[in-house]
Amino acid sequence: MADHPQTIAYPAPDAHPRPRDGESLAPHVIVLFGATGDLAKRKLLPGLAYLAQSSLAPDIRVVGTAMDDMSTDEFRALARRSVESFGTHKVDDVAWQAFADRLTYVPQGAGPEGLTAAVKETETLLGPGCRRLHYLSVPPRAAEAVIGMLRDAALTENARVVMEKPFGHDLTSAVRLNDFVHSVFDESQIFRIDHFLGKEAAQNILAFRFANGLFEPIWNRNFIDHIQIDIPETLGLDQRANFYEATGAYKDMVVTHLMQVMAFVAMEPPTALEPRAISEEKNKVFRSMLPINPRKVVRGQYSGYREQPGCSRDSDTETFIALRIDIDNWRWAGVPFYLRTGKNMADGLRIISIAFKEAPRTMFPANSGVGGEGPDHLTFDLAEDSRVSLSFYGKRPGPGMRLEKLSMQFSTQETDRAGDVLEAYERLILDAMRGDHTLFTTADGIESLWERSMPLLEDPPPVKLYPLGSWGPNAIHQLIAPNAWRLPFERAWRMKKS
């Protein structure tokens, strides 16, 4: 069942937000680069509107900047349209005005001096002790220019910087970009964002694994047969053809999203639930990955891609990719990880599926049904509902011994805390203000992934065409044989009863 926007009661503009978990956060000026872009309009401005008036965040003000030449009033009008169109919470006139008063805009044409003046003026309004959070909602090729502008504008002190993916496009570019950013910011100031890790469901993987004695003892090669991370998209390129033509599905989704989620599934227990320990265990997973074998990769391109404006007529850019990853450590030796994502596919889902090894069937007669519907699965749905399903064989009611697949399912929407769920960008912006790197990626981790990706990037298999609205090229079935893809599901998720 779709969530409906809810009206929230915001505190008065001068109210003091309640500290989270007893901590007191300094006021923040958030400098939003690319403030008129698609990501800012769909996610960042609505998220900031919620955080600014909630009890979760400190006192914040936003300085927007972009190439567009507009006034602060025009920027505020753009922000209101964004909040009304894409926000998950309705905002009444009083609440909106409280947020609008916190918005300032300065065009990038004003140069470093203009940006510095706007930030300094905003800091005066916030008072002493405020911090800076620079959010780079810009194309990857513009990241270095923005970092250089922050350096030239003398806005790096007492600051943190949030950088969008992809972080480089191969090992050489990632190392070069890391070196450049480190010449301006310390690693502790850098937050490389992956919004998939900000989802409630992604963090629920850690809770599920490490807080339950039922699952951690069987989370290894002795009991797990294979793992699938499957993120098909029904969306096409929208207005991103120029970006996508130079990037493709692997760089856009696999290195930046799917492998990060995979690390949560595969990592060893951290010594503590704190950023340094979790990052180190994730990086161990990346270092344990074998180099990507191009023969275990299927690249696809949907029919009609080459005819779109901005795409080459002989383009070899993949809009779909499925691949096998092997992690060469004690826990996962011999257990394949299958990753799949693509554009214009049959359905838009985000699932992690853990397939357990099948039990011996010798005691059951041939027509009992056992084994007929595949192995038992533990499935995480990374949608906002944060659903989990455990499928298993059970006896069908009636005479005889006939078995069928059953499932136990859970959703955060079934709890009395469903209203506490933060949208991924809201959570990650809040974490960056808190200085919490738990859900962000590191320089070492990014470089490890690019290093293991180089065999594929240097010798990619040719793309295979697939029809719009399909599950990808037929070759995906040979890739995963003798297993099968979980999508489409053999059964539907049960929805919350209203």
Side-chain angles (χ1 to χ4, degrees), residues 204-425:
N204 201 30
I205 297 170
L206 299 181
F208 215 85
R209 285 193 57 191
F210 300 129
N212 295 294
L214 178 62
F215 293 103
E216 179 55 26
I218 61 172
W219 209 267
N220 57 60
R221 57 185 169 82
N222 295 320
F223 298 94
I224 292 177
D225 183 79
H226 66 277
I227 294 172
Q228 296 179 33
I229 301 176
D230 207 349
I231 304 181
E233 297 181 291
T234 56
L235 299 174
L237 299 186
D238 198 15
Q239 304 299 316
R240 302 173 70 218
N242 289 331
F243 162 78
Y244 209 85
E245 177 70 0
T247 305
Y250 184 80
K251 297 176 183 178
D252 185 40
M253 289 291 293
V254 177
V255 176
T256 53
H257 293 322
L258 277 71
M259 287 180 176
Q260 299 297 333
V261 172
M262 181 189 73
F264 271 17
V265 176
M267 63 189 278
E268 295 296 321
T271 55
L273 198 64
E274 55 90 15
R276 185 186 300 272
I278 291 176
S279 293
E280 177 55 27
E281 295 304 334
K282 285 176 56 185
N283 289 344
K284 286 180 183 178
V285 173
F286 300 146
R287 291 195 294 267
S288 298
M289 284 173 50
L290 295 178
I292 305 298
N293 184 346
R295 294 191 298 276
K296 296 179 180 178
V297 177
V298 175
R299 297 171 67 241
Q301 187 184 91
Y302 65 76
S303 298
Y305 170 83
R306 298 175 183 177
E307 282 69 52
Q308 293 192 216
C311 297
S312 171
R313 294 298 177 262
D314 58 354
S315 173
D316 191 53
T317 298
E318 79 279 356
T319 62
F320 168 97
I321 191 162
L323 66 155
R324 169 174 170 158
I325 290 178
D326 293 280
I327 299 176
D328 189 24
N329 62 20
W330 184 93
R331 185 182 291 264
W332 298 114
V335 178
F337 286 70
Y338 296 103
L339 279 54
R340 176 174 66 167
T341 187
K343 298 288 188 183
N344 278 321
M345 298 185 68
D347 205 346
L349 296 167
R350 298 177 174 93
I351 69 114
I352 302 167
S353 183
I354 316 294
F356 294 100
K357 291 185 176 179
E358 296 190 61
R361 309 173 191 168
T362 52
M363 65 174 285
F364 296 98
N367 63 349
S368 67
V370 66
E373 297 183 59
D376 299 337
H377 285 89
L378 177 63
T379 303
F380 296 88
D381 183 355
L382 299 184
E384 299 305 326
D385 287 353
S386 185
R387 296 177 293 195
V388 181
S389 172
L390 179 63
S391 68
F392 53 91
Y393 283 100
K395 183 185 178 299
R396 180 185 300 175
M401 181 57 76
R402 289 284 298 170
L403 281 76
E404 62 183 356
K405 266 293 170 71
L406 308 173
S407 69
M408 293 187 294
Q409 298 184 8
F410 162 80
S411 169
T412 56
Q413 297 304 310
E414 298 171 355
T415 74
D416 58 2
R417 303 300 297 269
D420 292 348
V421 174
L422 288 175
E423 198 276 332
Y425 282 99

Side-chain angles (χ1 to χ4, degrees), residues 27 32 34-35 62 98 104 141 160 176 234 267 290 335 365 440 480:
L32 179 56
V62 180
T104 302
R141 63 180 180 274
R160 299 182 178 115
R176 184 178 64 246
T234 56
M267 63 189 278
L290 295 178
V335 178
F440 296 85
I480 201 172

Side-chain angles (χ1 to χ4, degrees), residues 116-127:
T116 300
V119 172
K120 295 289 187 182
E121 181 180 350
T122 302
E123 289 176 336
T124 300
L125 296 173
L126 286 172

